[in-house]
Amino acid sequence: MKLFLDFLPLILFFGTFQYADKNREWAAAVATSYLGFMVSGGVVGQEEAPILIGTVVMSVVTLVQVALLKLTGRPVHLMLWITLALVIVLGGATVYFHNPVIIKWKPSIAYWALGLSFWASRVVFRRDLLQEMLGAEMQLPAHVWQRLNFAWIAFLGLMGLLNLYVAYSFSTSTWASFKVFGATGLMIAFSIGQVLYLSRYLKPEGEEPKPPKLPS
């Protein structure tokens, strides 16, 4: 359920965009009627209407998610705070300037912001943010946490670059599909790779812990 809620803004963005993209005349009319007061010039064209409507839907859903978590006393994770800030700032700029390029930068900035947080926590503050996030769920040697931390930094940096490559090299529709399926698939594949790597350090339930074998 939590995984579904985490991806809900992305799913709704994609579904809204795809529907609006196939009904551009309707999308432009709706965007002009309901978003006209928010956009520069007051008129939304058929080309930019689908991504504007999708951006508004994603922004509202993300804001509702954060509000509900706060109201119910549950923690709001770092990535959700980053997403909310970027959605409000870049989403607002996308709607006002009705320029889809602005919101296309959101995933890259989110990846880089999270990667920078991991890097700064380790190098500047001598803490391991990833260990603080996951340490209650798994016990790992210090050098493994360090490798895991820098692996995520490198991966997030590359994902940010890949997102911009797709955004500037392909159509908005292709970028939206990559954002939902391509980027998510790569994230899942990377996470599976991490689990396979960590499996050697995780003891089966009920077994006594064994010291990890250090690399020669």
Side-chain angles (χ1 to χ4, degrees), residues 66-81:
V66 172
L68 288 176
L69 287 173
K70 296 296 288 183
L71 288 173
T72 55
R74 286 179 289 177
V76 181
H77 296 298
L78 175 62
M79 192 61 195
L80 187 53
W81 280 122

PDB file of all heavy atoms in Angstrom, residues 66-81:
ATOM      1  N   VAL A  66       1.551  15.030   1.720  1.00  0.00           N
ATOM      2  CA  VAL A  66       2.341  15.596   2.814  1.00  0.00           C
ATOM      3  C   VAL A  66       1.422  16.080   3.931  1.00  0.00           C
ATOM      4  O   VAL A  66       1.687  15.846   5.122  1.00  0.00           O
ATOM      5  CB  VAL A  66       3.224  16.748   2.308  1.00  0.00           C
ATOM      6  CG1 VAL A  66       3.900  17.472   3.473  1.00  0.00           C
ATOM      7  CG2 VAL A  66       4.281  16.221   1.343  1.00  0.00           C
ATOM      8  N   ALA A  67       0.323  16.744   3.574  1.00  0.00           N
ATOM      9  CA  ALA A  67      -0.613  17.246   4.576  1.00  0.00           C
ATOM     10  C   ALA A  67      -1.209  16.105   5.407  1.00  0.00           C
ATOM     11  O   ALA A  67      -1.314  16.207   6.639  1.00  0.00           O
ATOM     12  CB  ALA A  67      -1.718  18.050   3.892  1.00  0.00           C
ATOM     13  N   LEU A  68      -1.594  15.010   4.745  1.00  0.00           N
ATOM     14  CA  LEU A  68      -2.174  13.875   5.456  1.00  0.00           C
ATOM     15  C   LEU A  68      -1.162  13.217   6.390  1.00  0.00           C
ATOM     16  O   LEU A  68      -1.505  12.810   7.506  1.00  0.00           O
ATOM     17  CB  LEU A  68      -2.714  12.845   4.458  1.00  0.00           C
ATOM     18  CG  LEU A  68      -3.988  13.249   3.709  1.00  0.00           C
ATOM     19  CD1 LEU A  68      -4.361  12.189   2.674  1.00  0.00           C
ATOM     20  CD2 LEU A  68      -5.144  13.468   4.683  1.00  0.00           C
ATOM     21  N   LEU A  69       0.088  13.095   5.933  1.00  0.00           N
ATOM     22  CA  LEU A  69       1.128  12.512   6.783  1.00  0.00           C
ATOM     23  C   LEU A  69       1.351  13.361   8.031  1.00  0.00           C
ATOM     24  O   LEU A  69       1.491  12.840   9.140  1.00  0.00           O
ATOM     25  CB  LEU A  69       2.434  12.371   5.997  1.00  0.00           C
ATOM     26  CG  LEU A  69       2.472  11.268   4.934  1.00  0.00           C
ATOM     27  CD1 LEU A  69       3.756  11.347   4.123  1.00  0.00           C
ATOM     28  CD2 LEU A  69       2.356   9.883   5.588  1.00  0.00           C
ATOM     29  N   LYS A  70       1.374  14.678   7.854  1.00  0.00           N
ATOM     30  CA  LYS A  70       1.576  15.572   8.995  1.00  0.00           C
ATOM     31  C   LYS A  70       0.384  15.516   9.952  1.00  0.00           C
ATOM     32  O   LYS A  70       0.559  15.502  11.179  1.00  0.00           O
ATOM     33  CB  LYS A  70       1.807  17.001   8.507  1.00  0.00           C
ATOM     34  CG  LYS A  70       3.066  17.200   7.679  1.00  0.00           C
ATOM     35  CD  LYS A  70       4.321  16.922   8.484  1.00  0.00           C
ATOM     36  CE  LYS A  70       4.593  18.000   9.504  1.00  0.00           C
ATOM     37  NZ  LYS A  70       5.855  17.782  10.245  1.00  0.00           N
ATOM     38  N   LEU A  71      -0.822  15.496   9.394  1.00  0.00           N
ATOM     39  CA  LEU A  71      -2.025  15.477  10.225  1.00  0.00           C
ATOM     40  C   LEU A  71      -2.155  14.188  11.028  1.00  0.00           C
ATOM     41  O   LEU A  71      -2.696  14.181  12.142  1.00  0.00           O
ATOM     42  CB  LEU A  71      -3.271  15.681   9.363  1.00  0.00           C
ATOM     43  CG  LEU A  71      -3.478  17.090   8.793  1.00  0.00           C
ATOM     44  CD1 LEU A  71      -4.649  17.103   7.822  1.00  0.00           C
ATOM     45  CD2 LEU A  71      -3.709  18.091   9.923  1.00  0.00           C
ATOM     46  N   THR A  72      -1.674  13.073  10.463  1.00  0.00           N
ATOM     47  CA  THR A  72      -1.762  11.787  11.148  1.00  0.00           C
ATOM     48  C   THR A  72      -0.518  11.490  11.986  1.00  0.00           C
ATOM     49  O   THR A  72      -0.415  10.409  12.571  1.00  0.00           O
ATOM     50  CB  THR A  72      -1.973  10.650  10.128  1.00  0.00           C
ATOM     51  OG1 THR A  72      -0.931  10.689   9.130  1.00  0.00           O
ATOM     52  CG2 THR A  72      -3.323  10.789   9.449  1.00  0.00           C
ATOM     53  N   GLY A  73       0.430  12.429  12.029  1.00  0.00           N
ATOM     54  CA  GLY A  73       1.608  12.272  12.869  1.00  0.00           C
ATOM     55  C   GLY A  73       2.646  11.315  12.330  1.00  0.00           C
ATOM     56  O   GLY A  73       3.540  10.895  13.078  1.00  0.00           O
ATOM     57  N   ARG A  74       2.556  10.969  11.060  1.00  0.00           N
ATOM     58  CA  ARG A  74       3.538  10.066  10.474  1.00  0.00           C
ATOM     59  C   ARG A  74       4.681  10.850   9.852  1.00  0.00           C
ATOM     60  O   ARG A  74       4.507  12.004   9.441  1.00  0.00           O
ATOM     61  CB  ARG A  74       2.875   9.170   9.416  1.00  0.00           C
ATOM     62  CG  ARG A  74       1.994   8.085  10.030  1.00  0.00           C
ATOM     63  CD  ARG A  74       1.325   7.237   8.975  1.00  0.00           C
ATOM     64  NE  ARG A  74       0.280   7.973   8.270  1.00  0.00           N
ATOM     65  CZ  ARG A  74      -0.413   7.480   7.257  1.00  0.00           C
ATOM     66  NH1 ARG A  74      -0.165   6.269   6.809  1.00  0.00           N
ATOM     67  NH2 ARG A  74      -1.362   8.208   6.690  1.00  0.00           N
ATOM     68  N   PRO A  75       5.884  10.256   9.772  1.00  0.00           N
ATOM     69  CA  PRO A  75       7.043  11.000   9.266  1.00  0.00           C
ATOM     70  C   PRO A  75       6.941  11.255   7.760  1.00  0.00           C
ATOM     71  O   PRO A  75       6.418  10.428   7.009  1.00  0.00           O
ATOM     72  CB  PRO A  75       8.219  10.074   9.583  1.00  0.00           C
ATOM     73  CG  PRO A  75       7.622   8.693   9.623  1.00  0.00           C
ATOM     74  CD  PRO A  75       6.241   8.884  10.197  1.00  0.00           C
ATOM     75  N   VAL A  76       7.429  12.396   7.346  1.00  0.00           N
ATOM     76  CA  VAL A  76       7.536  12.730   5.926  1.00  0.00           C
ATOM     77  C   VAL A  76       8.996  12.554   5.530  1.00  0.00           C
ATOM     78  O   VAL A  76       9.862  13.271   6.017  1.00  0.00           O
ATOM     79  CB  VAL A  76       7.085  14.181   5.657  1.00  0.00           C
ATOM     80  CG1 VAL A  76       7.187  14.496   4.168  1.00  0.00           C
ATOM     81  CG2 VAL A  76       5.660  14.400   6.150  1.00  0.00           C
ATOM     82  N   HIS A  77       9.263  11.585   4.674  1.00  0.00           N
ATOM     83  CA  HIS A  77      10.638  11.268   4.324  1.00  0.00           C
ATOM     84  C   HIS A  77      11.271  12.383   3.498  1.00  0.00           C
ATOM     85  O   HIS A  77      10.586  13.188   2.860  1.00  0.00           O
ATOM     86  CB  HIS A  77      10.703   9.942   3.560  1.00  0.00           C
ATOM     87  CG  HIS A  77      10.250   8.764   4.385  1.00  0.00           C
ATOM     88  ND1 HIS A  77      10.901   8.372   5.532  1.00  0.00           N
ATOM     89  CD2 HIS A  77       9.205   7.910   4.236  1.00  0.00           C
ATOM     90  CE1 HIS A  77      10.285   7.325   6.057  1.00  0.00           C
ATOM     91  NE2 HIS A  77       9.250   7.023   5.288  1.00  0.00           N
ATOM     92  N   LEU A  78      12.607  12.392   3.512  1.00  0.00           N
ATOM     93  CA  LEU A  78      13.372  13.442   2.856  1.00  0.00           C
ATOM     94  C   LEU A  78      13.013  13.582   1.386  1.00  0.00           C
ATOM     95  O   LEU A  78      12.836  14.694   0.874  1.00  0.00           O
ATOM     96  CB  LEU A  78      14.876  13.147   2.999  1.00  0.00           C
ATOM     97  CG  LEU A  78      15.832  14.093   2.275  1.00  0.00           C
ATOM     98  CD1 LEU A  78      15.706  15.517   2.815  1.00  0.00           C
ATOM     99  CD2 LEU A  78      17.264  13.595   2.390  1.00  0.00           C
ATOM    100  N   MET A  79      12.880  12.446   0.691  1.00  0.00           N
ATOM    101  CA  MET A  79      12.601  12.501  -0.742  1.00  0.00           C
ATOM    102  C   MET A  79      11.253  13.147  -1.017  1.00  0.00           C
ATOM    103  O   MET A  79      11.097  13.868  -2.011  1.00  0.00           O
ATOM    104  CB  MET A  79      12.646  11.090  -1.347  1.00  0.00           C
ATOM    105  CG  MET A  79      12.657  11.082  -2.866  1.00  0.00           C
ATOM    106  SD  MET A  79      14.112  11.938  -3.497  1.00  0.00           S
ATOM    107  CE  MET A  79      13.640  12.177  -5.218  1.00  0.00           C
ATOM    108  N   LEU A  80      10.274  12.925  -0.139  1.00  0.00           N
ATOM    109  CA  LEU A  80       8.966  13.527  -0.344  1.00  0.00           C
ATOM    110  C   LEU A  80       9.022  15.039  -0.117  1.00  0.00           C
ATOM    111  O   LEU A  80       8.361  15.801  -0.832  1.00  0.00           O
ATOM    112  CB  LEU A  80       7.926  12.888   0.580  1.00  0.00           C
ATOM    113  CG  LEU A  80       6.466  13.311   0.357  1.00  0.00           C
ATOM    114  CD1 LEU A  80       6.056  13.116  -1.102  1.00  0.00           C
ATOM    115  CD2 LEU A  80       5.533  12.543   1.279  1.00  0.00           C
ATOM    116  N   TRP A  81       9.815  15.488   0.864  1.00  0.00           N
ATOM    117  CA  TRP A  81       9.997  16.927   1.068  1.00  0.00           C
ATOM    118  C   TRP A  81      10.646  17.566  -0.158  1.00  0.00           C
ATOM    119  O   TRP A  81      10.239  18.647  -0.603  1.00  0.00           O
ATOM    120  CB  TRP A  81      10.867  17.194   2.296  1.00  0.00           C
ATOM    121  CG  TRP A  81      10.152  17.109   3.615  1.00  0.00           C
ATOM    122  CD1 TRP A  81      10.446  16.299   4.664  1.00  0.00           C
ATOM    123  CD2 TRP A  81       9.018  17.887   4.041  1.00  0.00           C
ATOM    124  NE1 TRP A  81       9.570  16.505   5.708  1.00  0.00           N
ATOM    125  CE2 TRP A  81       8.689  17.482   5.354  1.00  0.00           C
ATOM    126  CE3 TRP A  81       8.249  18.884   3.432  1.00  0.00           C
ATOM    127  CZ2 TRP A  81       7.636  18.045   6.074  1.00  0.00           C
ATOM    128  CZ3 TRP A  81       7.190  19.442   4.142  1.00  0.00           C
ATOM    129  CH2 TRP A  81       6.903  19.023   5.442  1.00  0.00           C
TER     130      TRP A  81
END
